[in-house]
Amino acid sequence: MSHHAAPDPPWGFDDRAPQRRRWPVVSGGLIAGLVVIALVVVFLVRRDDPAAGLEPPTAPLVPADGVTAGGELSGQARALADALTQRGLECSVRFTAPEGGQTGCFAVQDVTGTTVEAIFQHHPDGSVIGLNLKVNGPKYTRGLLRSLIDIAGPVVFPADHPAVIDIFNRAFAGFPEGSWGDYHLLGHGAKTYLSASKRNITPIKVPVLHLDTTEPQLADALRADGFTCTGDNETCTGQPAMALKFSGPDTGITYLVATATNGATTPETFNQLRIKVFAHLRGNAVGPVFDWVGLHLGGPSRSAFVAGWRVDLVVSDKQIRLTLFNEETWLVPE
């Protein structure tokens, strides 16, 4: 496997002032071998079957007027999802509306906790109109972002890709403008990202979702199960080493975190917490999310859009944490 010479610190952990040089990049359809050795990050593993990373479609849910949870991809959106799943990310369609939809592709590296995501909006014909690439880790993630840009750029903005990479190589941050659209780049530190929007295109409105269970209803139900909850009905704790945080308006919960720690970090123990909590939740997303967590509880950390909601499952020796939330805001350069 051939690759360009790497800088002294392993690629992906070099966050010194950028210099005019060539970085190791995707070459011959495979990621530079040094990256695989140094980072062992799941999304760098090539897959021969792009469909292997796509979440299977579920029965249609209608979380908002004219909006369907999930959906099918076509055209450029499908090509982007295929390119990302070939590198080990898992993709799921968040919603489909008459004006288009939104899809997310995710990967989590369990050893370091580094997360990689590519979330994009697309029109019904599949043309991508907005893209957010993000890498978040405990150390420098510049190299991982570069790899992610090199996967997405040739598919979404091939004419602008060289200029974006030029800015990336010469600066920690920048606001490139190209023939396809506008960009906001941050390539320095533990949290790096590229946000891009197609010029003169209005982003698709993201539906506002909530569960049918309110904060007081869930807190009262958990108290009846033996949990201790705060007076604001937003935090509950139970044994062994179980904790919940949740919030939302009077219409229902929009954010929920369930955590097991301190010896309670087995799938069996967390499954008890899952059953207790979801027994008190109401809404059309409850069943699909309950099933998704049960399906993946014994495996590694992962993220997905399920029934229109963002679901993050973090599995480590120290904790198992489930986060369910509604990403209402779609931010891209204007």
PDB file of all heavy atoms in Angstrom, residues 217-246:
ATOM      1  N   GLN A 217     -44.407  14.014  34.077  1.00  0.00           N
ATOM      2  CA  GLN A 217     -44.964  12.665  33.932  1.00  0.00           C
ATOM      3  C   GLN A 217     -43.879  11.603  34.058  1.00  0.00           C
ATOM      4  O   GLN A 217     -44.056  10.589  34.742  1.00  0.00           O
ATOM      5  CB  GLN A 217     -45.677  12.542  32.586  1.00  0.00           C
ATOM      6  CG  GLN A 217     -46.983  13.315  32.511  1.00  0.00           C
ATOM      7  CD  GLN A 217     -47.566  13.345  31.104  1.00  0.00           C
ATOM      8  OE1 GLN A 217     -46.867  13.123  30.116  1.00  0.00           O
ATOM      9  NE2 GLN A 217     -48.863  13.626  31.009  1.00  0.00           N
ATOM     10  N   LEU A 218     -42.739  11.819  33.394  1.00  0.00           N
ATOM     11  CA  LEU A 218     -41.661  10.834  33.477  1.00  0.00           C
ATOM     12  C   LEU A 218     -41.062  10.801  34.874  1.00  0.00           C
ATOM     13  O   LEU A 218     -40.790   9.721  35.417  1.00  0.00           O
ATOM     14  CB  LEU A 218     -40.576  11.152  32.445  1.00  0.00           C
ATOM     15  CG  LEU A 218     -39.373  10.204  32.434  1.00  0.00           C
ATOM     16  CD1 LEU A 218     -39.817   8.756  32.237  1.00  0.00           C
ATOM     17  CD2 LEU A 218     -38.366  10.603  31.357  1.00  0.00           C
ATOM     18  N   ALA A 219     -40.859  11.967  35.483  1.00  0.00           N
ATOM     19  CA  ALA A 219     -40.281  12.004  36.830  1.00  0.00           C
ATOM     20  C   ALA A 219     -41.183  11.301  37.836  1.00  0.00           C
ATOM     21  O   ALA A 219     -40.708  10.523  38.679  1.00  0.00           O
ATOM     22  CB  ALA A 219     -40.036  13.451  37.246  1.00  0.00           C
ATOM     23  N   ASP A 220     -42.482  11.535  37.769  1.00  0.00           N
ATOM     24  CA  ASP A 220     -43.414  10.878  38.706  1.00  0.00           C
ATOM     25  C   ASP A 220     -43.406   9.366  38.510  1.00  0.00           C
ATOM     26  O   ASP A 220     -43.448   8.593  39.477  1.00  0.00           O
ATOM     27  CB  ASP A 220     -44.828  11.425  38.512  1.00  0.00           C
ATOM     28  CG  ASP A 220     -44.984  12.848  39.041  1.00  0.00           C
ATOM     29  OD1 ASP A 220     -44.114  13.291  39.820  1.00  0.00           O
ATOM     30  OD2 ASP A 220     -45.971  13.514  38.677  1.00  0.00           O
ATOM     31  N   ALA A 221     -43.346   8.928  37.257  1.00  0.00           N
ATOM     32  CA  ALA A 221     -43.331   7.491  36.987  1.00  0.00           C
ATOM     33  C   ALA A 221     -42.043   6.852  37.503  1.00  0.00           C
ATOM     34  O   ALA A 221     -42.063   5.736  38.047  1.00  0.00           O
ATOM     35  CB  ALA A 221     -43.481   7.248  35.491  1.00  0.00           C
ATOM     36  N   LEU A 222     -40.928   7.548  37.349  1.00  0.00           N
ATOM     37  CA  LEU A 222     -39.660   7.015  37.839  1.00  0.00           C
ATOM     38  C   LEU A 222     -39.616   7.012  39.370  1.00  0.00           C
ATOM     39  O   LEU A 222     -39.040   6.094  39.977  1.00  0.00           O
ATOM     40  CB  LEU A 222     -38.499   7.829  37.271  1.00  0.00           C
ATOM     41  CG  LEU A 222     -38.253   7.657  35.768  1.00  0.00           C
ATOM     42  CD1 LEU A 222     -37.224   8.671  35.274  1.00  0.00           C
ATOM     43  CD2 LEU A 222     -37.799   6.235  35.456  1.00  0.00           C
ATOM     44  N   ARG A 223     -40.211   8.012  40.007  1.00  0.00           N
ATOM     45  CA  ARG A 223     -40.286   8.012  41.472  1.00  0.00           C
ATOM     46  C   ARG A 223     -41.048   6.771  41.956  1.00  0.00           C
ATOM     47  O   ARG A 223     -40.670   6.136  42.948  1.00  0.00           O
ATOM     48  CB  ARG A 223     -40.982   9.273  41.971  1.00  0.00           C
ATOM     49  CG  ARG A 223     -40.157  10.548  41.826  1.00  0.00           C
ATOM     50  CD  ARG A 223     -40.843  11.731  42.491  1.00  0.00           C
ATOM     51  NE  ARG A 223     -40.089  12.968  42.330  1.00  0.00           N
ATOM     52  CZ  ARG A 223     -40.370  13.909  41.435  1.00  0.00           C
ATOM     53  NH1 ARG A 223     -41.417  13.750  40.615  1.00  0.00           N
ATOM     54  NH2 ARG A 223     -39.625  14.991  41.351  1.00  0.00           N
ATOM     55  N   ALA A 224     -42.109   6.420  41.251  1.00  0.00           N
ATOM     56  CA  ALA A 224     -42.875   5.236  41.616  1.00  0.00           C
ATOM     57  C   ALA A 224     -42.051   3.958  41.442  1.00  0.00           C
ATOM     58  O   ALA A 224     -42.327   2.944  42.093  1.00  0.00           O
ATOM     59  CB  ALA A 224     -44.150   5.149  40.768  1.00  0.00           C
ATOM     60  N   ASP A 225     -41.024   4.015  40.593  1.00  0.00           N
ATOM     61  CA  ASP A 225     -40.129   2.876  40.393  1.00  0.00           C
ATOM     62  C   ASP A 225     -38.966   2.871  41.377  1.00  0.00           C
ATOM     63  O   ASP A 225     -38.088   2.010  41.292  1.00  0.00           O
ATOM     64  CB  ASP A 225     -39.557   2.893  38.971  1.00  0.00           C
ATOM     65  CG  ASP A 225     -40.567   2.415  37.935  1.00  0.00           C
ATOM     66  OD1 ASP A 225     -41.548   1.775  38.317  1.00  0.00           O
ATOM     67  OD2 ASP A 225     -40.367   2.708  36.737  1.00  0.00           O
ATOM     68  N   GLY A 226     -38.917   3.854  42.289  1.00  0.00           N
ATOM     69  CA  GLY A 226     -37.860   3.903  43.285  1.00  0.00           C
ATOM     70  C   GLY A 226     -36.736   4.867  42.980  1.00  0.00           C
ATOM     71  O   GLY A 226     -35.757   4.929  43.743  1.00  0.00           O
ATOM     72  N   PHE A 227     -36.843   5.624  41.906  1.00  0.00           N
ATOM     73  CA  PHE A 227     -35.826   6.623  41.590  1.00  0.00           C
ATOM     74  C   PHE A 227     -36.015   7.860  42.463  1.00  0.00           C
ATOM     75  O   PHE A 227     -37.122   8.158  42.930  1.00  0.00           O
ATOM     76  CB  PHE A 227     -35.922   7.038  40.119  1.00  0.00           C
ATOM     77  CG  PHE A 227     -35.349   6.040  39.158  1.00  0.00           C
ATOM     78  CD1 PHE A 227     -36.027   4.853  38.875  1.00  0.00           C
ATOM     79  CD2 PHE A 227     -34.132   6.279  38.521  1.00  0.00           C
ATOM     80  CE1 PHE A 227     -35.503   3.931  37.987  1.00  0.00           C
ATOM     81  CE2 PHE A 227     -33.611   5.352  37.634  1.00  0.00           C
ATOM     82  CZ  PHE A 227     -34.298   4.176  37.359  1.00  0.00           C
ATOM     83  N   THR A 228     -34.934   8.579  42.681  1.00  0.00           N
ATOM     84  CA  THR A 228     -34.974   9.873  43.366  1.00  0.00           C
ATOM     85  C   THR A 228     -34.810  10.968  42.323  1.00  0.00           C
ATOM     86  O   THR A 228     -33.838  10.967  41.569  1.00  0.00           O
ATOM     87  CB  THR A 228     -33.846   9.979  44.399  1.00  0.00           C
ATOM     88  OG1 THR A 228     -33.992   8.932  45.363  1.00  0.00           O
ATOM     89  CG2 THR A 228     -33.887  11.330  45.101  1.00  0.00           C
ATOM     90  N   CYS A 229     -35.757  11.913  42.278  1.00  0.00           N
ATOM     91  CA  CYS A 229     -35.758  12.945  41.250  1.00  0.00           C
ATOM     92  C   CYS A 229     -35.706  14.333  41.883  1.00  0.00           C
ATOM     93  O   CYS A 229     -36.195  14.553  42.990  1.00  0.00           O
ATOM     94  CB  CYS A 229     -37.009  12.839  40.371  1.00  0.00           C
ATOM     95  SG  CYS A 229     -37.184  11.249  39.536  1.00  0.00           S
ATOM     96  N   THR A 230     -35.093  15.262  41.177  1.00  0.00           N
ATOM     97  CA  THR A 230     -34.990  16.636  41.655  1.00  0.00           C
ATOM     98  C   THR A 230     -36.332  17.345  41.537  1.00  0.00           C
ATOM     99  O   THR A 230     -37.232  16.900  40.812  1.00  0.00           O
ATOM    100  CB  THR A 230     -33.933  17.394  40.840  1.00  0.00           C
ATOM    101  OG1 THR A 230     -34.269  17.315  39.441  1.00  0.00           O
ATOM    102  CG2 THR A 230     -32.556  16.786  41.041  1.00  0.00           C
ATOM    103  N   GLY A 231     -36.432  18.481  42.229  1.00  0.00           N
ATOM    104  CA  GLY A 231     -37.687  19.219  42.249  1.00  0.00           C
ATOM    105  C   GLY A 231     -38.091  19.779  40.905  1.00  0.00           C
ATOM    106  O   GLY A 231     -39.283  19.998  40.648  1.00  0.00           O
ATOM    107  N   ASP A 232     -37.115  20.016  40.022  1.00  0.00           N
ATOM    108  CA  ASP A 232     -37.454  20.552  38.703  1.00  0.00           C
ATOM    109  C   ASP A 232     -37.857  19.460  37.716  1.00  0.00           C
ATOM    110  O   ASP A 232     -38.141  19.744  36.543  1.00  0.00           O
ATOM    111  CB  ASP A 232     -36.293  21.368  38.133  1.00  0.00           C
ATOM    112  CG  ASP A 232     -35.017  20.553  37.960  1.00  0.00           C
ATOM    113  OD1 ASP A 232     -35.055  19.314  38.170  1.00  0.00           O
ATOM    114  OD2 ASP A 232     -33.978  21.138  37.622  1.00  0.00           O
ATOM    115  N   ASN A 233     -37.873  18.200  38.187  1.00  0.00           N
ATOM    116  CA  ASN A 233     -38.298  17.064  37.361  1.00  0.00           C
ATOM    117  C   ASN A 233     -37.431  16.885  36.119  1.00  0.00           C
ATOM    118  O   ASN A 233     -37.922  16.445  35.070  1.00  0.00           O
ATOM    119  CB  ASN A 233     -39.763  17.218  36.938  1.00  0.00           C
ATOM    120  CG  ASN A 233     -40.720  17.162  38.102  1.00  0.00           C
ATOM    121  OD1 ASN A 233     -40.555  16.346  39.017  1.00  0.00           O
ATOM    122  ND2 ASN A 233     -41.717  18.032  38.099  1.00  0.00           N
ATOM    123  N   GLU A 234     -36.138  17.167  36.236  1.00  0.00           N
ATOM    124  CA  GLU A 234     -35.253  17.039  35.083  1.00  0.00           C
ATOM    125  C   GLU A 234     -34.111  16.064  35.304  1.00  0.00           C
ATOM    126  O   GLU A 234     -33.398  15.724  34.354  1.00  0.00           O
ATOM    127  CB  GLU A 234     -34.681  18.410  34.699  1.00  0.00           C
ATOM    128  CG  GLU A 234     -35.723  19.372  34.145  1.00  0.00           C
ATOM    129  CD  GLU A 234     -35.121  20.668  33.661  1.00  0.00           C
ATOM    130  OE1 GLU A 234     -33.909  20.881  33.893  1.00  0.00           O
ATOM    131  OE2 GLU A 234     -35.854  21.476  33.064  1.00  0.00           O
ATOM    132  N   THR A 235     -33.919  15.576  36.538  1.00  0.00           N
ATOM    133  CA  THR A 235     -32.837  14.639  36.838  1.00  0.00           C
ATOM    134  C   THR A 235     -33.351  13.594  37.811  1.00  0.00           C
ATOM    135  O   THR A 235     -33.962  13.928  38.832  1.00  0.00           O
ATOM    136  CB  THR A 235     -31.628  15.361  37.457  1.00  0.00           C
ATOM    137  OG1 THR A 235     -31.178  16.377  36.562  1.00  0.00           O
ATOM    138  CG2 THR A 235     -30.502  14.379  37.710  1.00  0.00           C
ATOM    139  N   CYS A 236     -33.096  12.311  37.510  1.00  0.00           N
ATOM    140  CA  CYS A 236     -33.488  11.220  38.386  1.00  0.00           C
ATOM    141  C   CYS A 236     -32.325  10.245  38.509  1.00  0.00           C
ATOM    142  O   CYS A 236     -31.599  10.003  37.539  1.00  0.00           O
ATOM    143  CB  CYS A 236     -34.715  10.484  37.841  1.00  0.00           C
ATOM    144  SG  CYS A 236     -36.228  11.485  37.755  1.00  0.00           S
ATOM    145  N   THR A 237     -32.152   9.682  39.688  1.00  0.00           N
ATOM    146  CA  THR A 237     -31.095   8.700  39.917  1.00  0.00           C
ATOM    147  C   THR A 237     -31.690   7.463  40.570  1.00  0.00           C
ATOM    148  O   THR A 237     -32.667   7.539  41.324  1.00  0.00           O
ATOM    149  CB  THR A 237     -29.981   9.264  40.812  1.00  0.00           C
ATOM    150  OG1 THR A 237     -30.557   9.714  42.054  1.00  0.00           O
ATOM    151  CG2 THR A 237     -29.266  10.421  40.125  1.00  0.00           C
ATOM    152  N   GLY A 238     -31.078   6.309  40.288  1.00  0.00           N
ATOM    153  CA  GLY A 238     -31.539   5.057  40.863  1.00  0.00           C
ATOM    154  C   GLY A 238     -30.381   4.104  41.012  1.00  0.00           C
ATOM    155  O   GLY A 238     -29.264   4.372  40.578  1.00  0.00           O
ATOM    156  N   GLN A 239     -30.652   2.985  41.605  1.00  0.00           N
ATOM    157  CA  GLN A 239     -29.623   1.970  41.822  1.00  0.00           C
ATOM    158  C   GLN A 239     -29.868   0.799  40.871  1.00  0.00           C
ATOM    159  O   GLN A 239     -31.019   0.467  40.582  1.00  0.00           O
ATOM    160  CB  GLN A 239     -29.653   1.502  43.273  1.00  0.00           C
ATOM    161  CG  GLN A 239     -29.319   2.586  44.283  1.00  0.00           C
ATOM    162  CD  GLN A 239     -27.926   3.138  44.093  1.00  0.00           C
ATOM    163  OE1 GLN A 239     -27.014   2.411  43.691  1.00  0.00           O
ATOM    164  NE2 GLN A 239     -27.748   4.418  44.376  1.00  0.00           N
ATOM    165  N   PRO A 240     -28.783   0.164  40.387  1.00  0.00           N
ATOM    166  CA  PRO A 240     -27.386   0.489  40.708  1.00  0.00           C
ATOM    167  C   PRO A 240     -26.793   1.494  39.720  1.00  0.00           C
ATOM    168  O   PRO A 240     -26.743   1.239  38.522  1.00  0.00           O
ATOM    169  CB  PRO A 240     -26.697  -0.868  40.558  1.00  0.00           C
ATOM    170  CG  PRO A 240     -27.501  -1.570  39.484  1.00  0.00           C
ATOM    171  CD  PRO A 240     -28.911  -1.084  39.622  1.00  0.00           C
ATOM    172  N   ALA A 241     -26.356   2.629  40.221  1.00  0.00           N
ATOM    173  CA  ALA A 241     -25.593   3.631  39.467  1.00  0.00           C
ATOM    174  C   ALA A 241     -26.277   4.031  38.166  1.00  0.00           C
ATOM    175  O   ALA A 241     -25.673   4.076  37.106  1.00  0.00           O
ATOM    176  CB  ALA A 241     -24.179   3.131  39.194  1.00  0.00           C
ATOM    177  N   MET A 242     -27.580   4.312  38.248  1.00  0.00           N
ATOM    178  CA  MET A 242     -28.332   4.733  37.078  1.00  0.00           C
ATOM    179  C   MET A 242     -28.734   6.191  37.212  1.00  0.00           C
ATOM    180  O   MET A 242     -29.108   6.651  38.296  1.00  0.00           O
ATOM    181  CB  MET A 242     -29.592   3.879  36.909  1.00  0.00           C
ATOM    182  CG  MET A 242     -29.331   2.401  36.698  1.00  0.00           C
ATOM    183  SD  MET A 242     -30.870   1.450  36.586  1.00  0.00           S
ATOM    184  CE  MET A 242     -30.226  -0.204  36.292  1.00  0.00           C
ATOM    185  N   ALA A 243     -28.657   6.933  36.120  1.00  0.00           N
ATOM    186  CA  ALA A 243     -29.006   8.349  36.154  1.00  0.00           C
ATOM    187  C   ALA A 243     -29.705   8.740  34.856  1.00  0.00           C
ATOM    188  O   ALA A 243     -29.381   8.218  33.782  1.00  0.00           O
ATOM    189  CB  ALA A 243     -27.759   9.210  36.352  1.00  0.00           C
ATOM    190  N   LEU A 244     -30.656   9.670  34.979  1.00  0.00           N
ATOM    191  CA  LEU A 244     -31.361  10.183  33.807  1.00  0.00           C
ATOM    192  C   LEU A 244     -31.442  11.692  33.884  1.00  0.00           C
ATOM    193  O   LEU A 244     -31.634  12.275  34.956  1.00  0.00           O
ATOM    194  CB  LEU A 244     -32.780   9.611  33.719  1.00  0.00           C
ATOM    195  CG  LEU A 244     -32.882   8.131  33.409  1.00  0.00           C
ATOM    196  CD1 LEU A 244     -33.288   7.376  34.659  1.00  0.00           C
ATOM    197  CD2 LEU A 244     -33.882   7.880  32.297  1.00  0.00           C
ATOM    198  N   LYS A 245     -31.294  12.322  32.725  1.00  0.00           N
ATOM    199  CA  LYS A 245     -31.533  13.747  32.579  1.00  0.00           C
ATOM    200  C   LYS A 245     -32.451  13.913  31.382  1.00  0.00           C
ATOM    201  O   LYS A 245     -32.265  13.275  30.344  1.00  0.00           O
ATOM    202  CB  LYS A 245     -30.226  14.513  32.368  1.00  0.00           C
ATOM    203  CG  LYS A 245     -29.304  14.534  33.576  1.00  0.00           C
ATOM    204  CD  LYS A 245     -28.057  15.380  33.295  1.00  0.00           C
ATOM    205  CE  LYS A 245     -27.138  15.414  34.508  1.00  0.00           C
ATOM    206  NZ  LYS A 245     -27.760  16.133  35.652  1.00  0.00           N
ATOM    207  N   PHE A 246     -33.432  14.791  31.503  1.00  0.00           N
ATOM    208  CA  PHE A 246     -34.363  14.997  30.406  1.00  0.00           C
ATOM    209  C   PHE A 246     -34.950  16.397  30.507  1.00  0.00           C
ATOM    210  O   PHE A 246     -35.015  17.001  31.586  1.00  0.00           O
ATOM    211  CB  PHE A 246     -35.477  13.942  30.416  1.00  0.00           C
ATOM    212  CG  PHE A 246     -36.035  13.621  31.780  1.00  0.00           C
ATOM    213  CD1 PHE A 246     -37.133  14.299  32.289  1.00  0.00           C
ATOM    214  CD2 PHE A 246     -35.438  12.639  32.561  1.00  0.00           C
ATOM    215  CE1 PHE A 246     -37.649  13.994  33.536  1.00  0.00           C
ATOM    216  CE2 PHE A 246     -35.936  12.328  33.820  1.00  0.00           C
ATOM    217  CZ  PHE A 246     -37.044  13.006  34.318  1.00  0.00           C
TER     218      PHE A 246
END
